[in-house]
């Protein structure tokens, strides 16, 4: 875990909001109609839905999501033409624990 990468990923208001939204995906996005019933990626939200809610282009949101995934804050799963993202709760817990230890 690279603490600095996570801090950089969190240094953008929209990326923080995305993490907040993904904490309660049903509340903020509703059911994901594109996700097949047999998909085991519960809580995943497609990039398009996140872009719509943020009011930004999909390409911008995709870049944000990749940065957050590389930092360990998100997990992703591709299914057909859609990519779904959800919070990496274990990665977030580790980051918080590391911050508490360091600071």
């Amino acid at each position: 875990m690279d603490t600095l990468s996570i801090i950089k990923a969190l240094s953008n208001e929209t990326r923080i909001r995305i993490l907040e939204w993904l904490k309660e995906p049903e509340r903020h996005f509703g059911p994901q109609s594109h996700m097949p019933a047999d998909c085991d990626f519960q809580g995943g939200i497609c990039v398009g839905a996140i872009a719509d809610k943020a009011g930004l282009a999909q390409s911008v949101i995709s870049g944000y999501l990749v940065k957050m995934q590389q930092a360990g804050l998100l997990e992703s799963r591709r299914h057909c033409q859609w990519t779904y993202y959800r919070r990496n709760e274990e990665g977030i817990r580790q980051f918080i624990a590391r911050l508490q230890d360091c600071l």
Side-chain angles (χ1 to χ4, degrees):
M1 170 185 297
D2 181 6
T3 305
L4 188 55
S5 292
I6 295 173
I7 291 170
K8 287 179 182 179
L10 294 174
S11 69
N12 175 286
E13 184 179 349
T14 301
R15 290 191 292 254
I16 295 272
R17 274 193 267 140
I18 291 169
L19 274 179
E20 290 171 353
W21 296 334
L22 292 176
K23 191 171 187 175
E24 298 177 275
E26 285 285 326
R27 176 176 165 222
H28 292 284
F29 298 99
Q32 291 297 289
S33 59
H34 299 116
M35 187 178 288
D38 64 343
C39 184
D40 64 345
F41 201 64
Q42 298 306 313
I45 303 297
C46 72
V47 175
I50 297 169
D52 288 346
K53 184 158 182 78
L56 296 171
Q58 268 193 359
S59 60
V60 172
I61 293 299
S62 289
Y64 286 177
L65 295 170
V66 167
K67 183 175 187 111
M68 291 166 47
Q69 180 185 15
Q70 290 172 342
L73 298 170
L74 297 178
E75 308 175 297
S76 72
R77 172 89 40 92
R78 184 147 180 93
H79 195 291
C80 298
Q81 65 198 50
W82 294 282
T83 302
Y84 295 89
Y85 285 87
R86 68 180 178 194
R87 289 167 50 110
N88 177 356
E89 296 299 341
E90 181 57 31
I92 292 169
R93 275 192 288 278
Q94 288 177 8
F95 170 67
I96 291 169
R98 188 163 208 170
L99 272 183
Q100 288 176 329
D101 288 344
C102 293
L103 302 178

